[in-house]
Structure formats: structure tokens, C-alpha cells
Amino acid sequence: MTYKLVSYSAPQLRTVNVTRYVTPLREGGSLPALIEADDDFLYVLKFRGAGQGAKALIAELIAGELARLLGLRVPEIVFTNLDIAFSRAEPDEEIQDLLRASIGLNLALHYLSGAITFDALVTTVDPKLASQIVWLDCLVTNVDRTARNTNMLIWHKELWLIDHGASLYFHHSGQNWEEQARRPFVQVKDHVLLPRASELDSVDAEFRSVLTPDRIEAIVSLVPDEWLTDESSDVSADEQRQVYVQFLATRLAHSEIFVKEAQHARKALV
């Protein structure tokens, strides 16, 4: 499979309104759904009221747009307004509760109709592309790209990345983010593309030059205030954004830590 960089402009997310709840997608525990929006496109909707709450949406947005900035293929991400009427019409009580808890602004990815799940036994990924994806997942600490659950699709013979809600898991722990930003990503040993990721050093140099501070800040600035504020905390939305910016900047400045961890784990495999 060949790979070409896709162009990236300044991040700007559209906002759509849900017009039809098509069907739940029961993979995983967050119960995403296939929905139709007022632009007549289908989307996979990620609910703010699901188990990990708004933090999963924050991770989805930041990691997804970082991937796009780095030239990787990610379905269009949009903000999605959900009206209370959908919860009233839903007969399933579990889904009804989820819809009710997610009224307002959510996140969705463009639905890639006809896409098939990536299978490493069927599709061989170019070492450069494999290294790029492994590097990204080490940066954002994405634990969910394993052989059991690759979170990648083949669409029109190209590899697309989906489901980044498990990234940036430091924001769930409440522990010191500065310390976590410098930790190696030990879960890389289970990454489905690690055996093919033989070009991590060159990718590290390339991607460090792309991820400038202003570009990182521009992506983090997309996160809505309402996803960042909590009634139990007096930390402002801007202060929360700065934590994400500084976490990524610190991790990037010490990328040799996670690159060496990935290379060590790869040697153990190959």
C-alpha cells in the first residue's frame, strides 16, 4: 500500500444537527450511534453522556485533528447538536437514558459507507505509514489500536483511522500531568502495526517539525468550553486547555522516551 500526505489547513469544525437516529452501534461500551444530520450525511455519533463523558470527546477531537495535521486519514469530525426530542421517541431505556444525558453538543465522525475493518493478516501496511501511526499513538497515549480492536478501516483502498476516545488517558487519572507526559508508552507493545514500524526515528524528526506550538494550540482551542468545565471544579476552560497544550508540548519535547520504548518493544517482537 502506497501512502501520500494529504493537505491540512487551519482546523475548523462544522456544526450539524441530528435529524434522524438511525441505529445504535453496539461495539464497545460507549454505545455510539449511526445518525443522519441536516446536511443529509450519515455520521457516527459519540455521546457526551456515555461512560467516559466529555473527556472521550475531547480525546477524539484532539487526537483526530492531530492525526489529520500529520497527514493521516481521519473521517471528517463535526460538532453535533442533539435535541431532547430524540430521547422521548426512543423505546430502549438504556439508549433513552444515554440520549437524555447527551442533549446539546456532541461529536461525530463522517460515516465511511462500505468500509471494512483493517486486518493485518490481509493488508500489509507500508513501514513508513505504520511508523507514523505508531508514533502518533505513542504521542497521544492511544491504548486502543490492538489486533483485537484495530480502530482502523480500509475505505477506497486507503487506510483510515477512527475512534481515538481512549487517547490522552492522563485526564482520567487526576494525577500529575507533568509526570505522565514524560512516561514511556509501555502499551505500544500491543500495537497492531508495531511489527511494521521500522522507521520511527525518521518519522520522529519529521513529525516534531510539523507539530509546532501554534498548531497544537489551534487544535486544542477547538474544544468547547462546556466540555472542559465542571461544577465540582473552579478551574476555567482556558486553564484546562492549557493542560492539554502543555501535556502534548512536553511529550513532544521528550519524544525520544516513547520512541525508544516502541523500538525496544518492536525488537522483542521481530
Side-chain angles (χ1 to χ4, degrees):
M1 176 181 293
T2 58
Y3 175 73
K4 296 180 180 178
L5 287 175
V6 294
S7 61
Y8 180 87
S9 56
Q12 186 175 12
L13 269 62
R14 297 187 300 117
T15 300
V16 300
N17 299 303
V18 179
T19 57
R20 185 166 65 99
Y21 181 98
V22 179
T23 186
L25 302 173
R26 295 186 179 272
E27 299 87 353
S30 61
L31 286 179
L34 183 64
I35 60 97
E36 186 175 10
D38 55 1
D39 59 358
D40 296 327
F41 286 113
L42 293 174
Y43 296 90
V44 176
L45 179 63
K46 307 298 182 71
F47 292 101
R48 193 177 72 251
Q52 300 296 339
K55 286 184 170 61
L57 275 60
I58 293 170
E60 189 81 61
L61 192 165
I62 294 175
E65 289 303 314
L66 284 172
R68 199 186 315 280
L69 170 59
L70 294 171
L72 300 168
R73 292 177 175 82
V74 181
E76 182 190 8
I77 299 172
V78 298
F79 294 123
T80 316
N81 280 315
L82 179 65
D83 190 86
I84 193 171
F86 289 94
S87 65
R88 295 170 180 157
E90 174 56 48
D92 185 301
E93 289 188 5
E94 181 184 12
I95 297 175
Q96 187 180 103
D97 290 342
L98 178 61
L99 292 170
R100 191 179 297 112
S102 304
I103 299 305
L105 197 65
N106 296 273
L107 199 74
L109 281 78
H110 190 90
Y111 178 62
L112 303 182
S113 179
I116 59 173
T117 300
F118 168 79
D119 186 339
L121 298 177
V122 175
T123 303
T124 300
V125 178
D126 177 81
K128 179 69 175 292
L129 177 55
S131 300
Q132 291 172 325
I133 296 172
V134 169
W135 189 97
L136 167 70
D137 288 337
C138 288
L139 173 70
V140 299
T141 62
N142 179 21
V143 298
D144 211 3
R145 194 97 68 197
T146 66
R148 183 176 62 85
N149 190 25
T150 66
N151 283 322
M152 292 184 287
L153 299 175
I154 299 296
W155 192 59
H156 294 293
K157 299 182 180 180
E158 301 289 357
L159 189 65
W160 291 75
L161 309 182
I162 60 170
D163 291 345
H164 294 95
S167 303
L168 302 174
Y169 57 77
F170 80 93
H171 60 188
H172 294 293
S173 69
Q175 298 176 5
N176 187 303
W177 67 261
E178 292 99 332
E179 178 187 343
Q180 295 191 64
R182 292 175 171 83
R183 288 180 182 172
F185 184 56
V186 296
Q187 293 89 342
V188 71
K189 64 182 175 57
D190 299 317
H191 199 292
V192 67
L193 295 182
L194 184 61
R196 300 284 300 168
S198 59
E199 299 185 24
L200 287 166
D201 282 330
S202 62
V203 166
D204 182 51
E206 174 189 345
F207 280 0
R208 281 166 58 93
S209 68
V210 173
L211 292 180
T212 59
D214 59 323
R215 287 173 170 172
I216 292 175
E217 190 153 1
I219 288 172
V220 175
S221 71
L222 294 169
V223 180
D225 285 1
E226 63 194 84
W227 294 358
L228 292 162
T229 53
D230 188 331
E231 293 180 357
S232 64
S233 172
D234 59 359
V235 179
S236 71
D238 285 339
E239 289 172 324
Q240 292 279 25
R241 285 192 190 91
Q242 281 306 305
V243 169
Y244 287 101
V245 170
Q246 293 303 317
F247 174 86
L248 290 166
T250 302
R251 196 152 183 80
L252 189 62
H254 297 84
S255 63
E256 73 279 359
I257 295 175
F258 64 71
V259 168
K260 288 179 180 177
E261 178 69 26
Q263 291 171 330
H264 176 74
R266 184 173 178 272
K267 286 180 181 178
L269 293 176
V270 300

